[in-house]
Amino acid sequence: MFLSEKRTDLLLLLIEKPMDIEEIKNELNVTTSAMMTQIKVLIDQGLIVYVNENYELSNFGEVIVRKMIPLINTLKIYSDNIEYWESHKFGSIPIDLQNRVEELEECELIEPDLNRMYELPLKLERNLEKAEQIWEVSSYFSPAYTFKYLELARKGINISLIVSEPVLERLKNEYDPVFKKYLEMNNVDIYVHTGAIGLASCIVTDSFLSFSLFFKNGIYHNHAMMSFTDRSVRWGKDLFAHFKSNSLLVDKS
């Protein structure tokens, strides 16, 4: 199946509904002769059948195609940003969420301009300002995020942060006035994760997901891998819930 793009496209098309040859030709923009060659192969393999002048998936063909879709989506995510996945610590993501990587969908690598190297990537910052709720898991400290979140919290945006113990200690020791402001706000919750977080950061809002991984040598660089689909947002919320289940709420008293 994967040796022919036409066969793959046809199988993915027929998962939607049975179609006749004219519909198939129009949808896939192919000639009759080119398509009939691929149809014959798939009929011989028992994946599609010809019924009432329409082509449709066989029962087992439907099972196979439903299994194909996550793999195809996973391969697309990998191939769209192959250099990123090869050079960063993907293994730091919890295994159950690694197995759902196809849900990330349409990831875009965002890096700051040279004149903003130590600031938030502009696209990330602008979308944070539109959020109603922000959830973040982070194992690295950035003053830019610290002050930005204070600004957003003052505007009424609900913020939940899970940080590692070293990040919490730095926040308390070096940014105590900001930390105390956080604790005074009813719309800000801070949790400390006592184990290893592994990934640099994962931010999820009601409308987008952003995450940052460390290089394989452990070095961090300022960037964001962003996705704006509903499935990626659910994936990010599940990642937050994973770490929250092993985190302690910082006492506000």
Side-chain angles (χ1 to χ4, degrees), residues 41-64:
V41 171
L42 293 173
I43 289 176
D44 290 344
Q45 292 176 341
L47 296 178
I48 67 174
V49 293
Y50 187 60
V51 179
N52 298 326
E53 299 185 351
N54 285 326
Y55 295 97
E56 61 184 64
L57 296 176
S58 66
N59 290 338
F60 208 82
E62 186 171 341
V63 172
I64 289 174

PDB file of all heavy atoms in Angstrom, residues 41-64:
ATOM      1  N   VAL A  41      -5.042  -3.785  -8.196  1.00  0.00           N
ATOM      2  CA  VAL A  41      -4.111  -4.290  -7.176  1.00  0.00           C
ATOM      3  C   VAL A  41      -4.819  -4.424  -5.837  1.00  0.00           C
ATOM      4  O   VAL A  41      -4.691  -5.437  -5.138  1.00  0.00           O
ATOM      5  CB  VAL A  41      -2.888  -3.346  -7.050  1.00  0.00           C
ATOM      6  CG1 VAL A  41      -2.038  -3.746  -5.852  1.00  0.00           C
ATOM      7  CG2 VAL A  41      -2.066  -3.368  -8.328  1.00  0.00           C
ATOM      8  N   LEU A  42      -5.592  -3.403  -5.455  1.00  0.00           N
ATOM      9  CA  LEU A  42      -6.249  -3.413  -4.154  1.00  0.00           C
ATOM     10  C   LEU A  42      -7.391  -4.421  -4.094  1.00  0.00           C
ATOM     11  O   LEU A  42      -7.652  -5.007  -3.038  1.00  0.00           O
ATOM     12  CB  LEU A  42      -6.766  -2.002  -3.824  1.00  0.00           C
ATOM     13  CG  LEU A  42      -5.658  -0.968  -3.588  1.00  0.00           C
ATOM     14  CD1 LEU A  42      -6.256   0.426  -3.452  1.00  0.00           C
ATOM     15  CD2 LEU A  42      -4.833  -1.315  -2.355  1.00  0.00           C
ATOM     16  N   ILE A  43      -8.061  -4.648  -5.240  1.00  0.00           N
ATOM     17  CA  ILE A  43      -9.080  -5.699  -5.289  1.00  0.00           C
ATOM     18  C   ILE A  43      -8.420  -7.069  -5.126  1.00  0.00           C
ATOM     19  O   ILE A  43      -8.899  -7.929  -4.374  1.00  0.00           O
ATOM     20  CB  ILE A  43      -9.890  -5.624  -6.604  1.00  0.00           C
ATOM     21  CG1 ILE A  43     -10.809  -4.392  -6.584  1.00  0.00           C
ATOM     22  CG2 ILE A  43     -10.729  -6.895  -6.800  1.00  0.00           C
ATOM     23  CD1 ILE A  43     -11.580  -4.166  -7.876  1.00  0.00           C
ATOM     24  N   ASP A  44      -7.306  -7.271  -5.830  1.00  0.00           N
ATOM     25  CA  ASP A  44      -6.585  -8.549  -5.724  1.00  0.00           C
ATOM     26  C   ASP A  44      -6.102  -8.800  -4.299  1.00  0.00           C
ATOM     27  O   ASP A  44      -6.033  -9.952  -3.857  1.00  0.00           O
ATOM     28  CB  ASP A  44      -5.390  -8.559  -6.681  1.00  0.00           C
ATOM     29  CG  ASP A  44      -5.813  -8.624  -8.144  1.00  0.00           C
ATOM     30  OD1 ASP A  44      -6.997  -8.963  -8.398  1.00  0.00           O
ATOM     31  OD2 ASP A  44      -4.978  -8.332  -9.023  1.00  0.00           O
ATOM     32  N   GLN A  45      -5.779  -7.723  -3.576  1.00  0.00           N
ATOM     33  CA  GLN A  45      -5.322  -7.863  -2.187  1.00  0.00           C
ATOM     34  C   GLN A  45      -6.481  -7.989  -1.202  1.00  0.00           C
ATOM     35  O   GLN A  45      -6.274  -8.196  -0.009  1.00  0.00           O
ATOM     36  CB  GLN A  45      -4.467  -6.652  -1.788  1.00  0.00           C
ATOM     37  CG  GLN A  45      -3.126  -6.593  -2.518  1.00  0.00           C
ATOM     38  CD  GLN A  45      -2.344  -5.341  -2.183  1.00  0.00           C
ATOM     39  OE1 GLN A  45      -2.899  -4.353  -1.701  1.00  0.00           O
ATOM     40  NE2 GLN A  45      -1.051  -5.375  -2.437  1.00  0.00           N
ATOM     41  N   GLY A  46      -7.702  -7.860  -1.715  1.00  0.00           N
ATOM     42  CA  GLY A  46      -8.872  -8.007  -0.852  1.00  0.00           C
ATOM     43  C   GLY A  46      -9.178  -6.796  -0.004  1.00  0.00           C
ATOM     44  O   GLY A  46      -9.957  -6.886   0.959  1.00  0.00           O
ATOM     45  N   LEU A  47      -8.631  -5.633  -0.374  1.00  0.00           N
ATOM     46  CA  LEU A  47      -8.823  -4.436   0.446  1.00  0.00           C
ATOM     47  C   LEU A  47     -10.020  -3.612  -0.007  1.00  0.00           C
ATOM     48  O   LEU A  47     -10.613  -2.891   0.801  1.00  0.00           O
ATOM     49  CB  LEU A  47      -7.559  -3.578   0.436  1.00  0.00           C
ATOM     50  CG  LEU A  47      -6.333  -4.230   1.071  1.00  0.00           C
ATOM     51  CD1 LEU A  47      -5.128  -3.311   0.959  1.00  0.00           C
ATOM     52  CD2 LEU A  47      -6.601  -4.574   2.519  1.00  0.00           C
ATOM     53  N   ILE A  48     -10.353  -3.668  -1.297  1.00  0.00           N
ATOM     54  CA  ILE A  48     -11.563  -2.995  -1.760  1.00  0.00           C
ATOM     55  C   ILE A  48     -12.391  -3.971  -2.590  1.00  0.00           C
ATOM     56  O   ILE A  48     -11.868  -4.970  -3.112  1.00  0.00           O
ATOM     57  CB  ILE A  48     -11.265  -1.709  -2.569  1.00  0.00           C
ATOM     58  CG1 ILE A  48     -10.570  -2.033  -3.898  1.00  0.00           C
ATOM     59  CG2 ILE A  48     -10.448  -0.729  -1.761  1.00  0.00           C
ATOM     60  CD1 ILE A  48     -10.392  -0.802  -4.786  1.00  0.00           C
ATOM     61  N   VAL A  49     -13.685  -3.665  -2.702  1.00  0.00           N
ATOM     62  CA  VAL A  49     -14.605  -4.511  -3.459  1.00  0.00           C
ATOM     63  C   VAL A  49     -15.451  -3.608  -4.356  1.00  0.00           C
ATOM     64  O   VAL A  49     -15.576  -2.402  -4.110  1.00  0.00           O
ATOM     65  CB  VAL A  49     -15.517  -5.347  -2.530  1.00  0.00           C
ATOM     66  CG1 VAL A  49     -14.704  -6.380  -1.770  1.00  0.00           C
ATOM     67  CG2 VAL A  49     -16.274  -4.443  -1.562  1.00  0.00           C
ATOM     68  N   TYR A  50     -16.008  -4.204  -5.401  1.00  0.00           N
ATOM     69  CA  TYR A  50     -16.856  -3.474  -6.353  1.00  0.00           C
ATOM     70  C   TYR A  50     -18.296  -3.910  -6.122  1.00  0.00           C
ATOM     71  O   TYR A  50     -18.651  -5.074  -6.323  1.00  0.00           O
ATOM     72  CB  TYR A  50     -16.415  -3.782  -7.774  1.00  0.00           C
ATOM     73  CG  TYR A  50     -17.108  -2.962  -8.840  1.00  0.00           C
ATOM     74  CD1 TYR A  50     -17.007  -1.576  -8.850  1.00  0.00           C
ATOM     75  CD2 TYR A  50     -17.854  -3.587  -9.840  1.00  0.00           C
ATOM     76  CE1 TYR A  50     -17.637  -0.824  -9.838  1.00  0.00           C
ATOM     77  CE2 TYR A  50     -18.483  -2.844 -10.836  1.00  0.00           C
ATOM     78  CZ  TYR A  50     -18.368  -1.460 -10.820  1.00  0.00           C
ATOM     79  OH  TYR A  50     -18.989  -0.713 -11.793  1.00  0.00           O
ATOM     80  N   VAL A  51     -19.138  -2.974  -5.654  1.00  0.00           N
ATOM     81  CA  VAL A  51     -20.521  -3.288  -5.314  1.00  0.00           C
ATOM     82  C   VAL A  51     -21.443  -2.215  -5.883  1.00  0.00           C
ATOM     83  O   VAL A  51     -21.252  -1.016  -5.590  1.00  0.00           O
ATOM     84  CB  VAL A  51     -20.711  -3.384  -3.780  1.00  0.00           C
ATOM     85  CG1 VAL A  51     -22.172  -3.692  -3.438  1.00  0.00           C
ATOM     86  CG2 VAL A  51     -19.789  -4.425  -3.182  1.00  0.00           C
ATOM     87  N   ASN A  52     -22.427  -2.628  -6.669  1.00  0.00           N
ATOM     88  CA  ASN A  52     -23.411  -1.682  -7.225  1.00  0.00           C
ATOM     89  C   ASN A  52     -22.749  -0.489  -7.921  1.00  0.00           C
ATOM     90  O   ASN A  52     -23.113   0.679  -7.693  1.00  0.00           O
ATOM     91  CB  ASN A  52     -24.359  -1.196  -6.127  1.00  0.00           C
ATOM     92  CG  ASN A  52     -25.171  -2.319  -5.525  1.00  0.00           C
ATOM     93  OD1 ASN A  52     -25.540  -3.270  -6.216  1.00  0.00           O
ATOM     94  ND2 ASN A  52     -25.451  -2.219  -4.230  1.00  0.00           N
ATOM     95  N   GLU A  53     -21.752  -0.784  -8.753  1.00  0.00           N
ATOM     96  CA  GLU A  53     -21.038   0.212  -9.558  1.00  0.00           C
ATOM     97  C   GLU A  53     -20.214   1.201  -8.721  1.00  0.00           C
ATOM     98  O   GLU A  53     -19.769   2.228  -9.221  1.00  0.00           O
ATOM     99  CB  GLU A  53     -22.020   0.980 -10.463  1.00  0.00           C
ATOM    100  CG  GLU A  53     -22.757   0.077 -11.447  1.00  0.00           C
ATOM    101  CD  GLU A  53     -23.621   0.867 -12.417  1.00  0.00           C
ATOM    102  OE1 GLU A  53     -23.784   2.089 -12.211  1.00  0.00           O
ATOM    103  OE2 GLU A  53     -24.106   0.257 -13.392  1.00  0.00           O
ATOM    104  N   ASN A  54     -20.023   0.892  -7.441  1.00  0.00           N
ATOM    105  CA  ASN A  54     -19.160   1.693  -6.567  1.00  0.00           C
ATOM    106  C   ASN A  54     -18.015   0.847  -6.031  1.00  0.00           C
ATOM    107  O   ASN A  54     -18.131  -0.375  -5.886  1.00  0.00           O
ATOM    108  CB  ASN A  54     -19.954   2.254  -5.376  1.00  0.00           C
ATOM    109  CG  ASN A  54     -20.845   3.413  -5.770  1.00  0.00           C
ATOM    110  OD1 ASN A  54     -20.494   4.206  -6.641  1.00  0.00           O
ATOM    111  ND2 ASN A  54     -22.002   3.509  -5.139  1.00  0.00           N
ATOM    112  N   TYR A  55     -16.921   1.506  -5.742  1.00  0.00           N
ATOM    113  CA  TYR A  55     -15.796   0.859  -5.059  1.00  0.00           C
ATOM    114  C   TYR A  55     -15.870   1.223  -3.586  1.00  0.00           C
ATOM    115  O   TYR A  55     -16.120   2.376  -3.221  1.00  0.00           O
ATOM    116  CB  TYR A  55     -14.463   1.309  -5.657  1.00  0.00           C
ATOM    117  CG  TYR A  55     -14.302   0.879  -7.088  1.00  0.00           C
ATOM    118  CD1 TYR A  55     -14.607   1.751  -8.140  1.00  0.00           C
ATOM    119  CD2 TYR A  55     -13.876  -0.414  -7.398  1.00  0.00           C
ATOM    120  CE1 TYR A  55     -14.492   1.351  -9.460  1.00  0.00           C
ATOM    121  CE2 TYR A  55     -13.750  -0.823  -8.722  1.00  0.00           C
ATOM    122  CZ  TYR A  55     -14.058   0.057  -9.741  1.00  0.00           C
ATOM    123  OH  TYR A  55     -13.943  -0.351 -11.053  1.00  0.00           O
ATOM    124  N   GLU A  56     -15.682   0.229  -2.732  1.00  0.00           N
ATOM    125  CA  GLU A  56     -15.710   0.480  -1.293  1.00  0.00           C
ATOM    126  C   GLU A  56     -14.708  -0.424  -0.591  1.00  0.00           C
ATOM    127  O   GLU A  56     -14.244  -1.432  -1.165  1.00  0.00           O
ATOM    128  CB  GLU A  56     -17.116   0.248  -0.726  1.00  0.00           C
ATOM    129  CG  GLU A  56     -17.633  -1.170  -0.904  1.00  0.00           C
ATOM    130  CD  GLU A  56     -19.068  -1.319  -0.407  1.00  0.00           C
ATOM    131  OE1 GLU A  56     -19.966  -0.671  -0.993  1.00  0.00           O
ATOM    132  OE2 GLU A  56     -19.272  -2.070   0.567  1.00  0.00           O
ATOM    133  N   LEU A  57     -14.372  -0.064   0.612  1.00  0.00           N
ATOM    134  CA  LEU A  57     -13.432  -0.877   1.384  1.00  0.00           C
ATOM    135  C   LEU A  57     -14.093  -2.179   1.800  1.00  0.00           C
ATOM    136  O   LEU A  57     -15.278  -2.207   2.153  1.00  0.00           O
ATOM    137  CB  LEU A  57     -12.977  -0.123   2.631  1.00  0.00           C
ATOM    138  CG  LEU A  57     -12.175   1.159   2.421  1.00  0.00           C
ATOM    139  CD1 LEU A  57     -11.891   1.817   3.765  1.00  0.00           C
ATOM    140  CD2 LEU A  57     -10.873   0.893   1.682  1.00  0.00           C
ATOM    141  N   SER A  58     -13.335  -3.264   1.745  1.00  0.00           N
ATOM    142  CA  SER A  58     -13.814  -4.514   2.327  1.00  0.00           C
ATOM    143  C   SER A  58     -13.820  -4.360   3.852  1.00  0.00           C
ATOM    144  O   SER A  58     -13.295  -3.382   4.393  1.00  0.00           O
ATOM    145  CB  SER A  58     -12.895  -5.667   1.928  1.00  0.00           C
ATOM    146  OG  SER A  58     -11.614  -5.490   2.511  1.00  0.00           O
ATOM    147  N   ASN A  59     -14.419  -5.320   4.542  1.00  0.00           N
ATOM    148  CA  ASN A  59     -14.447  -5.233   6.003  1.00  0.00           C
ATOM    149  C   ASN A  59     -13.038  -5.159   6.585  1.00  0.00           C
ATOM    150  O   ASN A  59     -12.743  -4.340   7.453  1.00  0.00           O
ATOM    151  CB  ASN A  59     -15.195  -6.434   6.592  1.00  0.00           C
ATOM    152  CG  ASN A  59     -16.679  -6.374   6.315  1.00  0.00           C
ATOM    153  OD1 ASN A  59     -17.223  -5.302   6.061  1.00  0.00           O
ATOM    154  ND2 ASN A  59     -17.355  -7.515   6.353  1.00  0.00           N
ATOM    155  N   PHE A  60     -12.163  -6.026   6.076  1.00  0.00           N
ATOM    156  CA  PHE A  60     -10.795  -6.010   6.596  1.00  0.00           C
ATOM    157  C   PHE A  60     -10.037  -4.800   6.075  1.00  0.00           C
ATOM    158  O   PHE A  60      -9.173  -4.255   6.766  1.00  0.00           O
ATOM    159  CB  PHE A  60     -10.067  -7.301   6.226  1.00  0.00           C
ATOM    160  CG  PHE A  60      -8.997  -7.660   7.217  1.00  0.00           C
ATOM    161  CD1 PHE A  60      -9.312  -8.315   8.394  1.00  0.00           C
ATOM    162  CD2 PHE A  60      -7.675  -7.302   6.994  1.00  0.00           C
ATOM    163  CE1 PHE A  60      -8.339  -8.623   9.317  1.00  0.00           C
ATOM    164  CE2 PHE A  60      -6.696  -7.600   7.914  1.00  0.00           C
ATOM    165  CZ  PHE A  60      -7.025  -8.274   9.092  1.00  0.00           C
ATOM    166  N   GLY A  61     -10.372  -4.369   4.859  1.00  0.00           N
ATOM    167  CA  GLY A  61      -9.740  -3.162   4.336  1.00  0.00           C
ATOM    168  C   GLY A  61     -10.029  -1.961   5.207  1.00  0.00           C
ATOM    169  O   GLY A  61      -9.160  -1.115   5.443  1.00  0.00           O
ATOM    170  N   GLU A  62     -11.264  -1.867   5.705  1.00  0.00           N
ATOM    171  CA  GLU A  62     -11.622  -0.750   6.589  1.00  0.00           C
ATOM    172  C   GLU A  62     -10.813  -0.797   7.874  1.00  0.00           C
ATOM    173  O   GLU A  62     -10.349   0.231   8.368  1.00  0.00           O
ATOM    174  CB  GLU A  62     -13.121  -0.793   6.901  1.00  0.00           C
ATOM    175  CG  GLU A  62     -13.596   0.417   7.682  1.00  0.00           C
ATOM    176  CD  GLU A  62     -15.112   0.471   7.799  1.00  0.00           C
ATOM    177  OE1 GLU A  62     -15.797  -0.195   6.995  1.00  0.00           O
ATOM    178  OE2 GLU A  62     -15.595   1.187   8.698  1.00  0.00           O
ATOM    179  N   VAL A  63     -10.637  -1.988   8.429  1.00  0.00           N
ATOM    180  CA  VAL A  63      -9.823  -2.135   9.646  1.00  0.00           C
ATOM    181  C   VAL A  63      -8.394  -1.661   9.386  1.00  0.00           C
ATOM    182  O   VAL A  63      -7.807  -0.913  10.175  1.00  0.00           O
ATOM    183  CB  VAL A  63      -9.822  -3.602  10.128  1.00  0.00           C
ATOM    184  CG1 VAL A  63      -8.819  -3.796  11.261  1.00  0.00           C
ATOM    185  CG2 VAL A  63     -11.215  -4.009  10.586  1.00  0.00           C
ATOM    186  N   ILE A  64      -7.825  -2.093   8.260  1.00  0.00           N
ATOM    187  CA  ILE A  64      -6.448  -1.742   7.927  1.00  0.00           C
ATOM    188  C   ILE A  64      -6.295  -0.236   7.745  1.00  0.00           C
ATOM    189  O   ILE A  64      -5.348   0.376   8.254  1.00  0.00           O
ATOM    190  CB  ILE A  64      -5.984  -2.495   6.672  1.00  0.00           C
ATOM    191  CG1 ILE A  64      -5.808  -3.981   7.006  1.00  0.00           C
ATOM    192  CG2 ILE A  64      -4.685  -1.896   6.117  1.00  0.00           C
ATOM    193  CD1 ILE A  64      -5.485  -4.841   5.814  1.00  0.00           C
TER     194      ILE A  64
END
